[in-house]
Amino acid sequence: MLLAISACTTTPAPTLGDTAKTASRDAERGSNTCALYGWTTDEKRSFVFYADAQTARYDTSEGPVDLKAQSEFPSLLYTDPDGERVELRLGEGEAMTDGMRFPTARIVTQTDEGWERLRPVALVRNCQIK
């Protein structure tokens, strides 16, 4: 996968519709292995988010949480086990071999006081074509 990430090229920012169309086209071609991968943007580059058509997991400051997608893959809205929203904001994207890269994405949750908590992440949507 690192090879695929290094082969990125800059293109106009994709929309959610573009991402959904690509995932749909991948499904038509027989690929059922598309996934979203997310890393923190700090020096540690910790792996903190994963989602595919069946599962989703987010590593919060309190530990890993399994999420439930609120739409078909690629979902941008999830709920945690307590029913709280976990939203992906992709930002500008770049096309890459078999996927898209979103270097300025955010994972958005809400504090108990009602404030949005934004966690910067670099997200990659990648599909293994069969």
Side-chain angles (χ1 to χ4, degrees), residues 31-95:
S31 172
N32 58 358
T33 55
C34 293
L36 287 167
Y37 306 89
W39 294 268
T40 60
T41 58
D42 59 12
E43 290 180 9
K44 291 182 182 179
R45 296 281 187 193
S46 302
F47 185 68
V48 295
F49 185 84
Y50 174 82
D52 62 23
Q54 290 80 35
T55 62
R57 178 168 271 209
Y58 173 47
D59 287 342
T60 68
S61 57
E62 290 84 35
V65 176
D66 289 325
L67 303 174
K68 179 175 173 59
Q70 298 304 299
S71 65
E72 292 195 21
F73 184 85
S75 181
L76 296 184
L77 182 60
Y78 298 85
T79 54
D80 68 15
D82 296 328
E84 298 295 323
R85 290 172 54 107
V86 177
E87 179 185 349
L88 301 180
R89 294 187 186 159
L90 299 180
E92 290 196 31
E94 302 168 348

